[in-house]
Amino acid sequence: MDSSTASILTEVFFETLGYWYIIIPTIFLGLIVGGIPGFSAANTIIILMPLTLALDLQSGLVFMISLYCAARMGAGIPAILVNIPGTAGAAATPLDGYPMAKQGKGQQALAISFVASCIGGLLTTIIALAAMPILARVGFYMHSVEMIVVMLFGISLIASIAAQDMVKGLIAGFLGLMIGSIGTDVVYATPRGTFGFLELYDGVPLIPALVGLFAVSEAFVIIEKRVIVNHDGEPKAPNWGDTFEGVKIALSRWVHIVWTSIIGLVIGVIPGAGASIASFVAYQQSRSFSKTPELYGTGHPEGLIAPESANNGVTSGTLVPLLVLGIPGGATAAIMLVVMQFHGVSFGPSLFENQPKVGYGMFMAMAVSYVFMFLTILPLSRYMSYVTTIPTIYLAPMIISFTLVGGFVPREYMFDMYLALAFGVLGYIARRTGYHVAAILIGVILGPLLEKYFLWSLKKSDGDIMVLFSSTLGNILWVAFAMSIILPIVFGMRRKRKLEVPAE
């Protein structure tokens, strides 16, 4: 980094700090937006578009980026406390976050989540800024063949979940894949499994499926109990000690935060990949290479750190193709593109030469937002955890009301509210019969994407299946995927032998 770039970064840093009066209120708005299923940073920015366009360019960018980062973090709060992911990017968070809350460790779980989110987001912002020319090329090399392997990384999490009960886990996963295939196929646009409902021609909408499987079904389950917390983890008065304990747990696993957030950064650079894929892949990799994989799903801190650091790592990754190539990496980045074009910003490598304060300013705004979030949100974890002590007779109706509204908001169809209820019944039956709703949701989210990239690959190769092994990068990813499946099995067998030797 030359002296001129360093001076620009220093100047931009202090200018961004001067927008604290925008950043702090926007952080709290983002937490609320992210915590309500169906709402997101993207549709909130669209609603507030007139305000964004009325501001000067720098103020508007600071507002959008602060809201984007805070909403990503806010989605994990209800996922931990009441098993309701605010967005699809937080769908893997309840796997270990909610069991911690049920054990009376909701405050610790929130603190772990906040630290992992802030460190992961801040670290990947710095890496993205430093390695932008290299990361910008990732989007060029990730075609349909490579994306198939990336999808398989996430879908293989179904097998990890199925390890507890192979038959039920695989049945739940295949049910999710079947539900995900509903809609028109990507080649001939032929309707499949729509039962004549036009609302399903675009496929099963994600938000009603998400809130139904997790939120509505959980509301049906918890109404049978007095409070969320299990009998073996009676609710206690929140205190600062639990917050500090959560921070200590997260910081002691800083290496885990680093490498899972980098997974999020790399996947975030790929246009259209998104936080849901990053969180599932990070969780799967975290579990596969863990020394204690059997603890995942029971309230293991590393199982909470992985998806939260990964989905916050995505935020900086989405800015790379936007600024360098003019290609938005996600819905929120697409709205930022519109605002920046309105103000006459020209994208490409020349952006950092012609308008360096705009290019560097976006990353600096993201870094400063994460610092402010750590200082303002972490102390609130002790108060947020009170949610787990609210009697379920009041909490369950509130959950159902908010989530049904959240299911309606994205498309504004009454049909989606009924669909959310249907998924709620399905999720309740699955929970009561020992099937894992996360396996169903993975199939619903990743199944259609895998099919799309697979059919695109076959279409380009005239049906030659060997096209899946025609790319150098793709073959490297295939080897990495195979190793991620084989090595944990080998390590597990070794651990088993070591335990058997003393016993003999």
Side-chain angles (χ1 to χ4, degrees):
M1 182 184 297
D2 54 33
S3 58
S4 61
T5 303
S7 62
I8 291 173
L9 287 174
T10 304
E11 183 181 352
V12 170
F13 172 72
F14 285 107
E15 284 185 3
T16 306
L17 282 179
Y19 288 106
W20 62 268
Y21 60 92
I22 294 177
I23 295 174
I24 293 178
T26 306
I27 286 174
F28 289 105
L29 174 62
L31 287 178
I32 297 171
V33 166
I36 302 175
F39 291 82
S40 65
N43 54 29
T44 304
I45 293 174
I46 290 175
I47 293 171
L48 299 176
M49 182 70 79
L51 171 64
T52 308
L53 296 178
L55 296 171
D56 63 89
L57 176 60
Q58 204 64 28
S59 299
L61 291 177
V62 167
F63 169 76
M64 289 188 292
I65 289 173
S66 300
L67 184 64
Y68 181 33
C69 297
R72 184 75 72 202
M73 180 188 286
I77 297 172
I80 292 169
L81 297 179
V82 288
N83 201 21
I84 306 173
T87 63
T93 301
L95 295 178
D96 280 278
Y98 186 58
M100 289 187 72
K102 291 171 69 177
Q103 296 163 15
K105 300 178 182 177
Q107 187 176 343
Q108 285 185 22
L110 287 174
I112 292 170
S113 169
F114 294 157
V115 172
S117 298
C118 291
I119 294 179
L122 183 60
L123 175 67
T124 51
T125 300
I126 296 171
I127 295 175
L129 191 58
M132 196 178 307
I134 299 172
L135 290 172
R137 298 193 187 100
V138 173
F140 283 117
Y141 294 116
M142 297 297 291
H143 303 301
S144 54
V145 172
E146 292 78 12
M147 289 303 296
I148 288 173
V149 192
V150 173
M151 295 300 113
L152 288 175
F153 271 106
I155 290 178
S156 64
L157 180 57
I158 293 175
S160 300
I161 294 172
Q164 302 169 6
D165 189 329
M166 185 62 68
V167 175
K168 288 187 175 181
L170 293 179
I171 288 175
F174 280 117
L175 175 62
L177 292 172
M178 289 175 60
I179 294 172
S181 68
I182 292 174
T184 54
D185 75 89
V186 296
V187 177
Y188 300 106
T190 304
R192 303 174 304 190
T194 60
F195 300 98
F197 291 108
L198 293 176
E199 294 88 348
L200 293 176
Y201 272 45
D202 288 334
V204 174
L206 178 57
I207 296 301
L210 177 72
V211 301
L213 286 172
F214 276 90
V216 178
S217 66
E218 186 63 29
F220 292 157
V221 170
I222 65 174
I223 197 65
E224 301 171 2
K225 301 186 294 184
R226 184 173 62 85
V227 289
I228 288 176
V229 180
N230 289 333
H231 294 299
D232 56 347
E234 288 298 327
K236 60 180 181 179
N239 56 81
W240 289 113
D242 285 347
T243 298
F244 292 132
E245 181 65 21
V247 172
K248 181 180 177 181
I249 291 171
L251 293 179
S252 67
R253 292 165 170 80
W254 65 271
V255 174
H256 203 72
I257 295 175
V258 170
W259 73 266
T260 51
S261 63
I262 291 175
I263 289 177
L265 171 63
V266 174
I267 292 179
V269 172
I270 306 170
S276 58
I277 296 173
S279 60
F280 284 130
V281 171
Y283 188 91
Q284 183 268 339
Q285 290 293 288
S286 174
R287 188 186 188 281
S288 295
F289 291 99
S290 172
K291 294 181 180 179
T292 54
E294 67 280 358
L295 296 180
Y296 281 69
T298 64
H300 191 40
E302 292 182 4
L304 174 58
I305 287 172
E308 283 298 286
S309 57
N311 63 37
N312 281 272
V314 168
T315 55
S316 55
T318 56
L319 295 184
V320 175
L322 171 67
L323 298 178
V324 178
L325 306 174
I327 302 173
T332 308
I335 302 168
M336 293 181 188
L337 173 69
V338 173
V339 174
M340 294 171 77
Q341 286 179 334
F342 176 81
H343 288 280
V345 175
S346 57
F347 298 92
S350 60
L351 171 65
F352 293 88
E353 297 177 5
N354 301 331
Q355 295 176 287
K357 289 188 177 182
V358 174
Y360 293 121
M362 293 185 71
F363 287 101
M364 197 59 70
M366 187 167 285
V368 171
S369 295
Y370 276 113
V371 173
F372 274 115
M373 277 192 283
F374 183 82
L375 297 175
T376 57
I377 305 306
L378 184 63
L380 298 179
S381 60
R382 64 173 298 191
Y383 304 107
M384 294 177 182
S385 61
Y386 274 111
V387 170
T388 58
T389 66
I390 298 175
T392 55
I393 194 172
Y394 306 116
L395 190 61
M398 291 170 59
I399 290 174
I400 294 176
S401 300
F402 276 109
T403 52
L404 289 182
V405 172
F408 171 80
V409 166
R411 302 197 305 174
E412 299 183 356
Y413 291 166
M414 285 295 296
F415 177 84
D416 289 353
M417 298 179 71
Y418 300 131
L419 193 62
L421 282 173
F423 272 107
V425 174
L426 173 64
Y428 178 75
I429 295 172
R431 291 175 191 274
R432 278 300 176 204
T433 52
Y435 293 88
H436 212 302
V437 294
I440 302 175
L441 185 65
I442 292 168
V444 173
I445 294 176
L446 300 184
L449 294 173
L450 177 64
E451 180 195 22
K452 178 177 72 173
Y453 290 118
F454 180 68
L455 292 179
W456 281 356
S457 299
L458 290 183
K459 190 174 182 181
K460 287 188 291 186
S461 64
D462 293 327
D464 184 6
I465 193 69
M466 294 307 295
V467 70
L468 300 179
F469 308 99
S470 62
S471 160
T472 302
L473 178 58
N475 291 336
I476 294 173
L477 290 173
W478 277 116
V479 172
F481 175 66
M483 296 296 285
S484 71
I485 300 297
I486 296 171
L487 286 179
I489 297 175
V490 174
F491 293 153
M493 293 174 65
R494 285 184 177 179
R495 285 195 297 270
K496 188 177 180 180
R497 287 175 184 173
K498 287 181 180 179
L499 292 174
E500 289 175 351
V501 170
E504 292 175 358

